[in-house]
């Protein structure tokens, strides 16, 4: 009788720590990695031949908006197809829970499509995720913007009162107690831009008590980015929380090259407090359509429009020409809508990605009609385009920035490494062929070169399609902290 459930044979292991590739068999029993031994020595009920392939930890997508995609779309093909086995949800200040209002509303509709996914507390929401049996794991941040909507309704163009701050803090405290991993803010967005530094720092106080992280879509990623970085670091210090700056970029042509200012600022600040950031491997960003953002972009593509669905995938300049109006006017006519903005410098993106504080996050938006290709392409693009083809960093380091480093920064105990006793979250890929195939024109195609993906020992993706394994979990911060102590 074979000793193991699955043995991945004859592959080269990139263990996630950055250590040089080594040949080994990797054995899985139940949901764990049970053994790592010399090639050809292990036997299992199910053997996967990984000759010529790399065996890496499953990738951790640290920046997602997949909160309810895990429920509505449990095979999670857009992520499993990239080798992703854990998504960190609730970024940019917007989380699906806790949500106390009876209706979804415009802002929340960005991440919640079905009313039945509304959950008044985090535990209830985590239960819905587990009941959906997603193919991959989710870990969840609580959005400061969502807390604001809960307590302030539509009256968001002002700072919260002391009483409102206390109620938001209470809701965050309860959510962290129930297993959320931290808080995100999105001071760039209208729902939160009237919040002061003090408001966010006061709401965030429970992070220190529970060991939760603070992630920030900063107030400004353009002209005033240095000031926004200082604000973000200050909030982290005041809340006694580790800081993760989201999707670090220098936005707009007039800010091209300014990574030469922001990256040294990160390096300096990282000596004094725990700070890291995530990056996606593209020169275009994507969010809601905002006509005040048009000027800083070289090109704008529409990702969705509720009023005019036919505009999805089109260039706003062409739409404006057809309408015979300015881009700003065309933008107003198709609102509410989402957009892709070409607004970054390739050299800046590469500099950010290769900084010691950088990890990889897609920032993919799962429900967009014509999404940014990062939703399906981020991780294979870093491995194939940036690491293999451009040699920006070695493969082992690329894997580290998607696995062990990410797990450390978000305190995802037992994940992000090929190591005995760790959860069997594994991605087997071909280093010669791995590459993103999703483009701005055709954004929803699975990557090439991803062979087999296991999550908690079950096959989440294999041979270009979902593997039937539905063993993903809602990762619980308290449970992970207990495991870290044990
Ligand atoms: Zn964001
Ligand atoms: Cu985001």
């Amino acid at each position: 009788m074979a000793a193991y459930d699955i043995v991945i044979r004859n592959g080269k292991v990139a263990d996630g720590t950055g250590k040089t590739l080594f040949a080994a068999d990797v054995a899985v029993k139940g949901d764990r990695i049970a053994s790592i031994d010399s090639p050809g020595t292990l036997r299992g009920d199910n053997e996967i031949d990984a000759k010529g392939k790399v065996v890496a930890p499953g990738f951790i997508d640290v920046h997602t908006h997949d909160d309810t995609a895990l429920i509505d779309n449990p095979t999670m093909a857009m992520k499993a197809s990239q080798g992703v086995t854990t998504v960190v949800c609730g970024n940019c200040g917007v989380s699906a829970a806790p949500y106390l209002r009876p209706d979804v509303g415009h802002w929340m509709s960005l991440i919640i499509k079905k009313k039945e996914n509304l959950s008044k507390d985090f535990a209830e929401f985590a239960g819905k995720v587990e009941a959906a049996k997603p193919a991959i794991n989710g870990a969840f941040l609580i959005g400061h913007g969502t807390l604001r909507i809960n307590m302030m309704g539509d009256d968001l163009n002002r700072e919260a009162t002391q009483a409102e701050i206390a109620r938001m803090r209470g809701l965050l405290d309860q959510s962290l107690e129930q297993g959320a991993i931290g808080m995100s803010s999105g001071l760039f967005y209208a729902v939160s831009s009237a919040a002061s530094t003090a408001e966010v720092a006061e709401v965030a106080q429970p992070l220190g008590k529970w060991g939760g992280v603070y992630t920030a879509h900063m107030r400004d990623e353009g002209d005033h980015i240095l000031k926004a970085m200082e604000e973000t670091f200050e909030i982290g210090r005041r809340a006694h929380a580790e800081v993760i700056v989201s999707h670090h970029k220098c936005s707009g042509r007039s800010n091209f090259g300014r990574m030469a200012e922001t990256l040294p600022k990160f390096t300096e600040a990282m000596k004094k407090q725990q700070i890291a950031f995530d990056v996606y491997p593209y020169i275009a960003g994507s969010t809601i359509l905002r006509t005040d953002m048009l000027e800083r972009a070289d090109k704008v593509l529409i990702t969705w429009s509720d009023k005019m669905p036919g505009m999805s995938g089109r260039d706003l300049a062409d739409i404006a020409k057809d309408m015979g109006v300015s881009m700003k006017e065309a933008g107003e006519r198709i609102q509410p809508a989402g957009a892709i903005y070409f607004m970054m410098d390739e050299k800046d993106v590469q500099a950010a990605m290769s900084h010691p504080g950088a990890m990889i996050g897609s920032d993919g938006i799962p429900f967009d009609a014509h999404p940014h290709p990062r939703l399906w392409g981020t991780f294979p693009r870093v491995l194939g385009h940036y690491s293999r083809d451009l040699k920006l960093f070695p493969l082992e380091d690329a894997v580290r920035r998607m696995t062990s480093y990410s797990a450390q920064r978000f305190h995802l105990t037992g994940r992000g490494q090929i190591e005995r006793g760790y959860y069997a979250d594994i991605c087997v890929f071909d280093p010669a062929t791995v590459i993103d195939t999703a483009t701005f024109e055709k954004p929803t195609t699975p990557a090439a070169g991803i062979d087999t993906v296991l999550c908690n020992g079950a096959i989440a993706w294999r041979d270009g399609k979902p593997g039937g394994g539905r063993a993903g979990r809602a990762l619980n911060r308290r449970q992970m902290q207990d495991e870290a102590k044990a």
Side-chain angles (χ1 to χ4, degrees), residues 144 185-189 192-193 195 200 214 217-219 231 235:
H144 166 248
S185 66
L187 301 182
F188 168 78
Y189 290 107
S192 304
S193 59
V200 185
Y214 169 55
H217 180 154
M218 299 193 297
R219 204 181 283 280
E231 176 181 45
I235 292 166

Side-chain angles (χ1 to χ4, degrees), residues 96-100 117-128 142 150 171 174-175 178:
Y99 192 65
L100 309 177
N117 290 341
L118 296 180
S119 307
K120 62 185 182 323
D121 71 27
F122 177 75
E124 184 186 315
F125 175 74
K128 287 179 186 173
I142 303 301
N150 281 328
L171 214 46
Q174 182 194 60
S175 305
Q178 294 174 347

Side-chain angles (χ1 to χ4, degrees), residues 301-317:
L301 302 175
I302 300 306
T303 53
W304 58 271
S305 164
D306 280 349
K307 212 188 286 168
M308 302 171 128
M311 299 301 160
S312 299
R314 293 192 63 196
D315 189 323
L316 185 60

Side-chain angles (χ1 to χ4, degrees), residues 28-223:
V28 172
K29 194 162 175 69
D31 63 356
R32 304 282 180 152
I33 295 172
S35 181
I36 302 161
D37 214 329
S38 312
T41 59
L42 301 179
R43 287 281 175 276
D45 292 329
N46 184 353
E47 299 193 352
I48 296 169
D49 179 25
K51 195 170 163 43
K53 311 256 163 62
V54 168
V55 182
F59 307 137
I60 297 169
D61 188 348
V62 297
H63 190 111
T64 85
H65 299 283
D66 293 338
D67 307 49
T68 67
L70 287 162
I71 302 171
D72 291 346
N73 181 14
T75 61
M76 290 296 287
M78 75 289 197
K79 294 296 164 71
S81 63
Q82 299 183 55
V84 170
T85 53
T86 298
V87 287
V88 176
C89 307
N91 276 284
C92 298
V94 55
S95 61
Y99 192 65
L100 309 177
R101 305 187 79 195
D103 293 303
V104 177
H106 171 55
W107 176 248
M108 295 296 287
S109 72
L110 294 170
I111 61 161
I112 301 181
K113 293 298 170 194
K114 294 183 183 154
K115 221 173 158 174
E116 60 262 34
N117 290 341
L118 296 180
S119 307
K120 62 185 182 323
D121 71 27
F122 177 75
E124 184 186 315
F125 175 74
K128 287 179 186 173
V129 171
E130 297 237 311
K133 298 196 186 321
I136 64 175
N137 305 308
F140 303 91
L141 299 158
I142 303 301
H144 166 248
T146 299
L147 296 176
R148 281 192 124 226
I149 293 169
N150 281 328
M151 296 310 175
M152 300 166 71
D154 295 322
D155 185 19
L156 297 162
N157 295 324
R158 60 176 178 85
E159 195 173 351
T161 64
Q162 285 308 316
E164 287 161 343
I165 288 174
R167 286 202 293 271
M168 288 193 257
R169 188 167 49 222
L171 214 46
L172 176 65
D173 187 58
Q174 182 194 60
S175 305
L176 291 165
E177 184 174 13
Q178 294 174 347
I181 64 164
M183 185 184 95
S184 74
S185 66
L187 301 182
F188 168 78
Y189 290 107
V191 293
S192 304
S193 59
S196 64
T197 309
E199 177 190 314
V200 185
E202 283 303 310
V203 172
Q205 286 305 311
L207 295 176
K209 170 173 136 198
W210 295 109
V213 297
Y214 169 55
T215 79
H217 180 154
M218 299 193 297
R219 204 181 283 280
D220 194 291
E221 296 177 305
D223 296 350

Side-chain angles (χ1 to χ4, degrees), residues 258-426:
R258 290 191 67 198
M259 284 286 167
E261 297 168 56
T262 62
L263 295 179
K265 196 175 172 70
F266 270 113
T267 306
E268 266 316 295
M270 284 166 71
K271 291 176 189 160
K272 298 182 209 116
Q273 69 190 106
Q274 180 55 251
I275 297 172
F277 57 88
D278 59 76
V279 185
Y280 51 79
Y282 297 87
I283 56 162
S286 181
T287 180
I288 49 174
L289 177 62
R290 261 174 64 161
T291 50
D292 65 333
M293 284 178 72
L294 298 179
E295 269 171 33
R296 72 167 81 148
D298 292 339
K299 183 174 163 177
V300 178
L301 302 175
I302 300 306
T303 53
W304 58 271
S305 164
D306 280 349
K307 212 188 286 168
M308 302 171 128
M311 299 301 160
S312 299
R314 293 192 63 196
D315 189 323
L316 185 60
D318 295 337
I319 297 171
K321 213 187 279 167
D322 286 358
M323 290 179 172
V325 298
S326 67
M327 274 180 57
K328 195 168 161 41
E329 174 62 26
E332 297 300 351
R333 286 192 192 176
I334 66 170
Q335 291 279 33
I340 291 166
Y341 305 86
F342 288 79
M343 58 180 177
M344 287 169 250
D345 178 35
E346 175 66 32
K347 282 204 203 81
D348 278 347
V349 173
Q350 293 185 19
M353 224 188 303
S354 44
H355 185 273
M359 57 196 143
I360 306 301
S362 71
D363 201 9
I365 309 173
F367 298 119
D368 283 5
H370 189 95
H372 187 305
R374 64 193 182 185
L375 180 66
W376 287 77
T378 291
F379 292 82
R381 181 171 168 81
V382 170
L383 292 170
H385 179 63
Y386 284 105
S387 172
R388 181 189 61 227
D389 297 347
L390 299 187
K391 301 189 169 40
L392 188 62
F393 31 59
L395 179 141
E396 292 91 336
D397 192 44
V399 170
R400 184 186 66 83
R401 291 170 189 277
M402 319 172 161
T403 58
S404 75
Y405 181 55
S406 321
Q408 280 160 22
R409 294 282 59 83
F410 284 87
H411 306 284
L412 307 178
T413 307
R415 304 196 189 262
Q417 285 185 54
I418 300 292
E419 173 83 39
R420 220 182 104 157
Y422 272 55
Y423 288 97
D425 291 354
I426 299 174

